Structure formats: C-alpha cells, structure tokens
Amino acid sequence: MDLMDLLKVGGSLIQGNSDDATTGLDVGDIANALGGLLGNSEGGLDLGALVGDLSQNGLGEIVGSWLGNGENAPISMEQITDLLGSEKVAEFASQLGLSEESAAGALADALPQVVDQATSGENSIVEEMLAQVGGAQGAMNMLGKMFS
C-alpha cells in the first residue's frame, strides 16, 4: 500500500466516523490534510517520529497495540492533541473547515487504524519506519524505552 492509498484510507475513516461535521468532506481533501499533518520533509509518512512521540508521551502500550496483530487500543482526543500538538490539530481543522474538537475526534478515530494498516501485511511501510529509527537496533532501543 503506497502512502496516498494509506492516507485515503484515513480519509475514508474520518469521512465515515460518527461526527456529522466530517460526513460531507472530500476523501482527497482529508488525505491531503493528513499528509500535511503526518508527513515528513521527503513526502513520506513519518511513522518513526509518531511512534517515538507516542512512547515519549507515555502512550507506548497504546501504539504497541496498533503495531501488533491484536485489537487496536483507543486514543483519546486529549492524547491526540498532546501527541500532535494543538497547533497542528488546529491547522488540520482549519484546512477542512472543522472545529478543533471534531478534528481531534476524527484523528483519534482514524490514527490507530492508519498506523495498523501501514505496519501490517505484505506491502507495509515497516522497512521505511525501521530505517527512520535506525534499523532493527533502533527499533529495539525504542521498544525498550516504551515498555520500561
């Protein structure tokens, strides 16, 4: 699955969530806003930084569930705002004409599934993520910090 496909999955999840404010949004617009929010300077998805930020914010068990084969643990709107920063959530909201509350709720609904899909299956972007954290050894170091 390439990056744009993954972002469109996130866009579909946000469009189809329980918030009426997101129902009429264009999936492509949501995908572009997600790319700006979660992307890196090379135009890729910065999962390494995202996973690292989650573990530093005490959310390692939550992100661990997204990376594993079991059920994805939920993340709250407050945790999403803490993770991404209120300015980024506000910018995402502004791009889509949403309230910050709707934006945070949409991201809390979609992010676990987007990370899960990005890191599972044959066409995952795990190799890219491993490269971003310093290979397998960097991942082991990160996991050690998450679960210590």
Side-chain angles (χ1 to χ4, degrees):
M1 178 176 290
D2 74 12
L3 178 60
M4 187 46 83
D5 289 340
L6 186 63
L7 294 174
K8 286 180 181 177
V9 166
S12 294
L13 291 167
I14 289 172
Q15 184 188 53
N17 76 5
S18 61
D19 188 342
D20 290 341
T22 61
T23 303
L25 297 175
D26 180 73
V27 170
D29 291 342
I30 301 169
N32 288 333
L34 281 172
L37 182 71
L38 303 174
N40 61 25
S41 60
E42 289 87 43
L45 189 62
D46 200 355
L47 281 179
L50 182 64
V51 170
D53 288 347
L54 280 165
S55 64
Q56 289 175 2
N57 285 324
L59 304 174
E61 287 184 36
I62 292 173
V63 75
S65 75
W66 302 350
L67 300 174
N69 290 326
E71 189 166 329
N72 295 331
I75 187 168
S76 72
M77 293 189 303
E78 293 79 18
Q79 290 168 320
I80 281 287
T81 302
D82 289 346
L83 170 66
L84 300 173
S86 58
E87 291 159 6
K88 284 188 172 184
V89 173
E91 184 179 330
F92 178 80
S94 175
Q95 286 179 315
L96 297 172
L98 298 172
S99 69
E100 289 181 36
E101 183 177 344
S102 287
L107 291 166
D109 287 344
L111 195 58
Q113 294 177 63
V114 169
V115 172
D116 184 50
Q117 289 195 23
T119 59
S120 62
E122 287 179 17
N123 298 319
S124 74
I125 54 176
V126 171
E127 293 300 321
E128 178 184 331
M129 188 172 93
L130 283 174
Q132 290 176 359
V133 297
Q137 185 61 45
M140 295 304 292
N141 291 339
M142 185 186 317
L143 286 172
K145 291 176 186 175
M146 284 173 149
F147 297 109
S148 61

